[in-house]
Amino acid sequence: MVLASAAPGIFSAGLDILEMYQSTPERCVAFWRALQDAWLNLYGSRLITMAAIEGHSPAGGCLLAMSCDYRVMAEGKFQIGLNETKLGIVAPFWFTDVMLNTIGHRETEKALQLGALYSAQQALSIGLVDKVVPLAEVMPTVEGELKNWLQIPAAARVITKTSMRKAVLDRLRSQKEKDAQFFADFINRDSVQKSLGMYIASLQKKKN
Ligand SMILES: CCCCC/C=C\C/C=C\CCC/C=C/C(=O)SCCNC(=O)CCNC(=O)[C@H](O)C(C)(C)COP(=O)(O)OP(=O)(O)OC[C@H]1O[C@@H](n2cnc3c(N)ncnc32)[C@H](O)[C@@H]1OP(=O)(O)O
């Protein structure tokens, strides 16, 4: 399975910020449950999963990419990373776990505190992506890599993948409702809503 985007220049802009702003606790819980299930299905997929990152990939976009087995990113102006702290929010523990498994403790600690967004070359240097190629070569490179992965006996590959990811998946599975409630409480704090409001305004200002 290849994750790619139909929007030129954007792999994924992350979670819909407007869903987290001035929403109701009930809607926040439903929103979070949908995200949890999507991620559990993706990270726990038995399929070979690859991200064709042909554009920006902040926050939830970076989570999607990191949750794949292999990442190819377009060189140039695009950025990738977990930038949550820049919005005044905090990456949930399962976002952090996936990043830890991808780039290790030291880089994760820096990346998360700073809300760092990396260029493709920087992402390659810390192991956040596996390959950087010109934009037009992203999809052919993914397809070529996929052929390599398909050579491996499927049962052996799936058992290996499952055992590598089980602990992180189980950690969320065991506390889904608590996590959803925590998200709804956290996101509706006055201080968090204020930060989100300012961030939304800064996005709109950038455009005008
Ligand atoms: C121990 C304590 C633990 C506590 C933890 C507990 C709970 C956790 C709490 C919260 C966790 C939440 C996790 C959140 C994850 C996320 O994914 S947050 C989203 C982060 N995304 C971003 O920051 C991206 C913002 N967007 C951009 O930077 C740019 O739009 C771009 C993606 C680089 C694309 O740039 P450009 O091509 O120039 O396009 P525009 O900026 O003009 O954007 C077009 C329109 O789209 C709107 N938009 C962009 N991104 C989003 C988004 N993520 N959500 C909603 N809307 C978005 C943008 O405002 C433009 O809209 P208009 O056309 O002006 O209407």
Side-chain angles (χ1 to χ4, degrees):
M1 176 167 68
V2 176
L3 293 195
S5 169
I10 304 175
F11 172 70
S12 162
L15 304 190
D16 185 345
I17 301 168
L18 301 179
E19 276 293 331
M20 299 186 278
Y21 186 59
Q22 295 180 343
S23 182
T24 62
E26 295 74 23
R27 194 173 168 96
C28 287
V29 167
F31 174 71
W32 203 248
R33 282 189 192 132
L35 178 69
Q36 289 173 331
D37 288 339
W39 176 75
L40 287 168
N41 283 328
L42 176 63
Y43 199 60
S45 173
R46 298 163 62 86
L47 300 175
I48 300 163
T49 54
M50 297 204 171
I53 310 166
E54 297 170 302
H56 292 291
S57 190
C62 179
L63 178 74
L64 283 182
M66 288 191 299
S67 300
C68 291
D69 298 315
Y70 198 82
R71 290 162 281 288
V72 179
M73 185 164 176
E75 63 190 22
K77 63 179 181 179
F78 305 127
Q79 293 188 311
I80 183 168
L82 293 182
N83 61 328
E84 276 82 351
T85 52
K86 290 210 172 104
L87 286 72
I89 55 181
V90 179
F93 69 87
W94 38 289
F95 286 45
T96 305
D97 284 347
V98 177
M99 187 171 247
L100 278 170
N101 281 357
T102 310
I103 62 172
H105 198 282
R106 177 65 189 130
E107 286 298 340
T108 299
E109 198 177 312
K110 273 194 291 181
L112 290 181
Q113 288 195 53
L114 295 171
L117 286 171
Y118 299 99
S119 69
Q121 281 303 336
Q122 289 169 330
L124 182 66
S125 73
I126 59 169
L128 185 54
V129 299
D130 296 298
K131 209 168 252 187
V132 172
V133 297
L135 179 62
E137 287 170 33
V138 170
M139 199 51 89
T141 305
V142 165
E143 284 164 1
E145 188 64 29
L146 201 47
K147 286 191 185 118
N148 287 339
W149 286 60
L150 285 166
Q151 308 278 323
I152 308 299
R157 185 194 55 74
V158 170
I159 291 168
T160 304
K161 176 173 178 174
T162 308
S163 68
M164 294 287 297
R165 297 188 173 197
K166 187 175 183 306
V168 167
L169 288 162
D170 283 349
R171 195 164 169 223
L172 176 61
R173 284 186 189 120
S174 67
Q175 47 187 313
K176 275 178 79 180
E177 279 315 303
K178 189 173 150 202
D179 180 62
Q181 203 56 59
F182 193 83
F183 166 75
D185 292 345
F186 179 86
I187 214 71
N188 284 305
R189 286 183 194 172
D190 288 346
S191 59
V192 174
Q193 285 294 305
K194 195 172 162 203
S195 294
L196 284 177
M198 284 162 56
Y199 190 75
I200 291 166
S202 75
L203 279 179
Q204 282 160 356
K205 199 168 158 195
K206 185 194 84 179
K207 209 179 159 193
N208 297 327

